[in-house]
Amino acid sequence: MKDLYKNYSGIIWLLTGILLGSLAGSIFGKKIEVLKPIGDIFLNLLFTAVIPLVFFAIASAIAGLERGNKLTRIMGVMCAVFLGTVLVSAMVTIIAVWLFPIHETLTGVKLIEATSDRSVGDQITNIFTTGEFYQLLSRKSMLAMIIFSVIIGFATLRAGEKGEAFRRFLQAGNEVFKQVFILIMKMGPLGLGAYFAYQVGVFGPQLFGAYARSLGLYYSVGAVYFVVGFSAYAFIAGGIKGVRKFWKNNIVPSATAVGTCSSIATIPANMDAAKNIGIPDVITNVTIPLGATLHKDGSSISSIIKMAVVFALFGKSFNSVDVIVLALGMTVLVSLVEGGIPNGGYVGELLFISAYGFPPEALPPAMIIGTLVDPMATLLNATGDTVAAMLIARFTEGRGWMDRANEPLTSPSVSTA
């Protein structure tokens, strides 16, 4: 019993904090908002640490390879897995919308968030690059920073022996910031507990308003996809053993995702979970950070639900072939956009509203739904990266990848089974 507590004490305390916070929020309502600064402090520490953690993880992973190694294959498989799981989640949601149509009347809501009026060219430029080096240090420039990290990794690799000292620096930095995350998570029970109290107390009542039916459909589909879909992916990746290891190590990432509503803040927890599962370091260090910005199963489900609501609002059918094909394409684009720029969800909503020719009045209901489903969407977006990394390991390392956990990155043999 003592050993059991020692192994799971962190998770026990984290869940206790979340439970107490949720209970306090339901009891005291909006008065619990006084605890929000505690949650903000914890979240700010995570955001501060995650930028250097991701930089060192990606750069050191690439710099530690040997030329001609398997990185190209990993990247190709990663793109296929990301695209495949996003499309699967979208198609599952479309079927759910057909089975449980949304016919409620949604009233207009005041637009409370400003959207960007920059040109498409400027938006694309700012997704992939920044004008100054210091801007790379902001989480708002996450994708640009990841691209820069990849470049640094390849440059170190090309430098060979002359870059050996810098390579060791990257590897040391990676280890140091793993420990930084461990220290920050010591205050996880308090920080996440305060955040859960705030969310339940302030936003809980809105879930039972005019959007209840669409929200109920989203949370139902999301819950089924989270349990059944992720279990299926884990089974494909590693059989029954893969399913057990995924769910055993998915508790902390799930709590972090729901508590912070941030895929980026969940990166350290996901990387730690991936290591415990046995995913090779080179896959973990590349897939998890990239997945946080480019792989969004939860946003895919959200996108389809919002489209269905807008179609119902304007009395249009959501079942013709051309509408569905365009919906799948827009879902992929929205998944990319949401992770690439600040307030990306609102830009994504503008994309599909413009694509279908709806008037501006269609935007507020979509925005409100997007806001209210954010906890579940983040849960699926963030933890889906870990199970995606398992699939990538399966397709690049072969069936026995969990038994060969964290072998040296320069291993010349790569199974294609």
Side-chain angles (χ1 to χ4, degrees):
M1 191 70 179
K2 191 174 183 180
D3 291 337
L4 182 66
Y5 175 77
K6 182 179 179 181
N7 293 333
Y8 292 95
S9 60
I11 295 176
I12 292 172
W13 280 107
L14 194 65
L15 293 178
T16 300
I18 291 171
L19 179 62
L20 292 176
S22 301
L23 184 62
S26 63
I27 294 174
F28 296 103
K30 291 188 176 182
K31 294 179 181 179
I32 208 69
E33 196 170 1
V34 296
L35 297 181
K36 186 174 182 290
I38 299 176
D40 287 336
I41 291 172
F42 172 70
L43 193 58
N44 286 342
L45 286 173
L46 274 181
F47 280 137
T48 303
V50 76
I51 298 299
L53 173 64
V54 170
F55 168 77
F56 282 113
I58 294 178
S60 64
I62 296 174
L65 294 171
E66 287 187 354
R67 296 192 184 189
N69 212 292
K70 54 191 176 185
L71 185 62
T72 301
R73 176 175 170 77
I74 290 173
M75 296 294 286
V77 173
M78 180 184 70
C79 292
V81 168
F82 284 179
L83 179 62
T85 55
V86 165
L87 289 176
V88 167
S89 62
M91 288 186 285
V92 167
T93 311
I94 289 172
I95 294 172
V97 169
W98 289 344
L99 294 175
F100 306 98
I102 301 172
H103 296 301
E104 60 187 314
T105 301
L106 298 176
T107 56
V109 194
K110 185 178 179 181
L111 186 65
I112 58 174
E113 292 283 352
T115 56
S116 175
D117 58 357
R118 292 178 296 179
S119 68
V120 174
D122 288 341
Q123 292 276 9
I124 294 174
T125 300
N126 285 285
I127 287 175
F128 295 104
T129 60
T130 61
E132 300 285 349
F133 176 80
Y134 73 88
Q135 293 173 337
L136 291 171
L137 304 179
S138 170
R139 71 177 187 272
K140 296 179 180 179
S141 305
M142 194 70 180
L143 185 55
M145 189 277 296
I146 287 175
I147 293 172
F148 186 77
S149 303
V150 171
I151 294 173
I152 291 294
F154 277 115
T156 306
L157 190 62
R158 288 172 58 87
E161 292 183 2
K162 293 181 180 179
E164 184 60 31
F166 190 76
R167 183 185 323 206
R168 290 197 300 269
F169 163 71
L170 292 175
Q171 292 170 343
N174 187 31
E175 293 301 322
V176 168
F177 276 94
K178 286 180 182 177
Q179 297 302 316
V180 169
F181 165 70
I182 291 173
L183 293 175
I184 292 174
M185 284 305 296
K186 295 292 186 183
M187 67 171 293
L190 181 62
L192 287 180
Y195 237 93
F196 267 82
Y198 169 73
Q199 287 186 338
V200 171
V202 176
F203 297 110
Q206 296 184 43
L207 296 177
F208 303 99
Y211 299 92
R213 185 167 181 176
S214 56
L215 293 176
L217 181 60
Y218 179 88
Y219 277 92
S220 298
V221 173
V224 170
Y225 186 78
F226 179 65
V227 176
V228 179
F230 285 1
S231 294
Y233 294 149
F235 182 80
I236 293 171
I240 296 297
K241 182 179 179 182
V243 175
R244 290 173 178 169
K245 295 194 77 170
F246 171 72
W247 288 112
K248 177 182 178 181
N249 292 283
N250 197 42
I251 298 175
V252 172
S254 296
T256 305
V258 175
T260 63
C261 284
S262 170
S263 295
I264 293 176
T266 313
I267 288 175
N270 273 341
M271 294 181 73
D272 188 52
K275 179 180 179 181
N276 293 333
I277 291 170
I279 301 171
D281 288 342
V282 65
I283 295 177
T284 296
N285 292 343
V286 173
T287 300
I288 298 299
L290 280 174
T293 56
L294 300 178
H295 178 232
K296 305 221 173 253
D297 291 355
S299 297
S300 172
I301 297 174
S302 172
S303 177
I304 297 298
I305 294 291
K306 286 183 283 189
M307 290 182 198
V309 167
V310 171
F311 269 72
L313 182 66
F314 287 87
K316 292 187 176 183
S317 173
F318 191 67
N319 55 16
S320 63
V321 175
D322 57 333
V323 167
I324 297 304
V325 170
L326 182 57
L328 292 175
M330 294 305 301
T331 294
V332 174
L333 287 177
V334 168
S335 297
L336 295 175
V337 167
E338 286 199 13
I341 57 178
N343 292 329
Y346 303 129
V347 178
E349 287 148 9
L350 283 172
L351 280 176
F352 85 74
I353 287 172
S354 299
Y356 286 113
F358 287 111
E361 289 78 12
L363 183 60
M367 292 177 63
I368 290 297
I369 292 171
T371 300
L372 295 178
V373 303
D374 197 35
M376 174 63 82
T378 307
L379 174 65
L380 296 172
N381 290 341
T383 60
D385 296 337
T386 305
V387 77
M390 292 177 67
L391 287 171
I392 294 166
R394 165 65 183 86
F395 294 130
T396 58
E397 300 292 317
R399 292 183 181 275
W401 63 270
M402 279 191 289
D403 298 324
R404 302 189 301 272
N406 294 322
E407 287 182 343
L409 301 182
T410 56
S411 174
S413 60
V414 182
S415 171
T416 58

